[in-house]
Amino acid sequence: MNLHQSVLQGDRLALARLLTEIENDSAAGQQALNELFKNTGKAHLIGVTGAPGTGKSSLVNQLALHFRNPTNGDAARRVAVVAVDPTSPFTGGAVLGDRVRMRELSGDDGVFIRSMATRGSLGGLAAATAGLVQALDAAGYEIIFIETVGAGQTEVDIAKLAHTTLVVNVPGLGDDVQAIKAGILEIADILVLNKADRPGVEAAERALLGMLKLGHPTKRTIMHHGQAQTVESTDAEISGDMWIPPIRRTVATDGKGIPELAEAIAGHRLHLEKTGDWKLRDRARLESEVETLLQQSLVSRWRENVNAKKYEAMLEQLLARELSPRQAVAAMLNGDTAQ
Amino acid sequence: MPEKKIRVLVAKPGLDGHDRGAKVIARALRDAGMEVIYTGLRQTPEMIAEAALQEDVDAVGLSILSGAHMALVPRVVELLRKNGQDKVRVFVGGIIPDEDAPKLRELGVAGIYGPGSLTQKIIDDIRNSVRQAA
Ligand SMILES: Nc1nc2c(ncn2[C@@H]2O[C@H](COP(=O)(O)OP(=O)(O)OP(=O)(O)O)[C@@H](O)[C@H]2O)c(=O)[nH]1
Ligand SMILES: [Mg+2]
């Protein structure tokens, strides 16, 4: 049986092996993904990001438990987790420790957890993550969490994969707002204030609300913990369809606030469906995936077909200022350096 | 295409308290360029085998200080086989009495390391056995 057929039949070892092939960008992995693609597009992809140690893994653990055993009468959903941790730039190795906080999920066939190291390039990581998620989606996991650390461009790229992105903050860091500033607030669909059992929750929540006000220049009254909060407007013309990221307090170590957070996630999904954003995000994601692949393929096709001597000669011309870089590219596209 | 990374699960089965040794090994393997999936304390053989499967690892490293190795290790090996992961190599670190070592090796344990073992030896053994299994 082919790898992709085994995966569709629920073979977990086949799925695990496919994920490895995808990570290694092997021909077998690419082929299986081609076959499986028609089975994708069903899962709700939830990004979970935030500074190190803010409780992302603990939150994923709690949310997964919640979706496996919903308290509100919903059907249990199959849940997968892709937990991304950085590769050491010096050794190429990595310690992937997110499973430590997810031990309560073991023994449940409706859950699949996979740890992943960032390995090489940025583009490569985003592509590999997208591939892993597609495989899990095709295998029938209905909710897929993608946990990433920090606030860098990598996380922003990976967050673009997700339908719903949770940005996790904790009280007491005061200047933790720094981490949020680095463009990360724009990717937040829901702001989680975890470790709400710690002092400084009020101040942290005020800081987050302040940031929201800057980031969302529209007047909206949002209900929060039973209190109405007004977010000031600077542009009254923005339509009422806009999603204002809600703030949810949680204690991931004991599960406090998790049902409310799950509700906000469901609410965001509904919003995406209602406004047509679900489809738009899907479209944008696929378009950017195709664009990346196209670039890679065009470049590698060009490389296969290049004459080393002619290429060398062209570089010399560049160095001698006889050709500008643009002219060089035009010449190459013209076939001047081809075999 | 990137070279195939060696993926190792490092687990601490049994009920005894701390995981310092397991963490030291995890870091040493990372520094040797491996991807280490670290699962933490109090893992049952079932949890270890399940994680090894989901993570599609090449090797499993067990740190056992409690003296329960003769109960835990055979079970892990058995579950790995049952799941179709016969090629996954198992390494055991901790306090293993000399008379138990041959029994564990008979089960297919690829390496046994007492206190004071050189981490470089462990790294080399994992590399070699993974290469052979491939
Ligand atoms: N007091 C308190 N501690 C928490 C809470 N949530 C998580 N923790 C603790 O915070 C520490 C880090 O939790 P993780 O879930 O590993 O955090 P993380 O963001 O996944 O960490 P990295 O993946 O290493 O960035 C652990 O010791 C948790 O037990 C919480 O709500 N309150
Ligand atoms: Mg984590």
Side-chain angles (χ1 to χ4, degrees), chain A residues 50-59 85 98 101 147 149 194-198 250-254:
Chain A
T54 45
K56 301 176 292 295
S57 301
S58 309
L59 277 167
D85 279 316
D98 296 308
R101 308 281 164 219
E147 175 185 337
V149 191
N194 189 43
K195 307 200 184 185
D197 53 329
R198 295 244 179 115
T250 55
V251 182
T253 34
D254 69 7

Side-chain angles (χ1 to χ4, degrees), chain A residues 178-256:
Chain A
Q178 284 306 118
I180 311 166
K181 268 186 199 153
I184 204 157
L185 195 73
E186 282 105 89
I187 63 168
D189 296 306
I190 297 168
L191 286 161
V192 183
L193 189 45
N194 189 43
K195 307 200 184 185
D197 53 329
R198 295 244 179 115
V201 201
E202 303 297 334
E205 188 163 325
R206 266 197 306 279
L208 286 175
L209 273 170
M211 299 296 301
L212 275 182
K213 200 158 126 181
L214 288 176
H216 294 267
T218 179
K219 185 168 185 128
R220 294 272 299 210
T221 302
I222 50 177
M223 289 305 286
H224 183 65
H225 294 305
Q227 281 175 293
Q229 307 264 14
T230 303
V231 182
E232 293 285 337
S233 164
T234 55
D235 181 354
E237 301 192 19
I238 293 178
S239 93
D241 270 351
M242 210 168 123
W243 174 264
I244 307 280
I247 303 173
R248 289 290 175 271
R249 292 186 189 184
T250 55
V251 182
T253 34
D254 69 7
K256 222 172 266 139

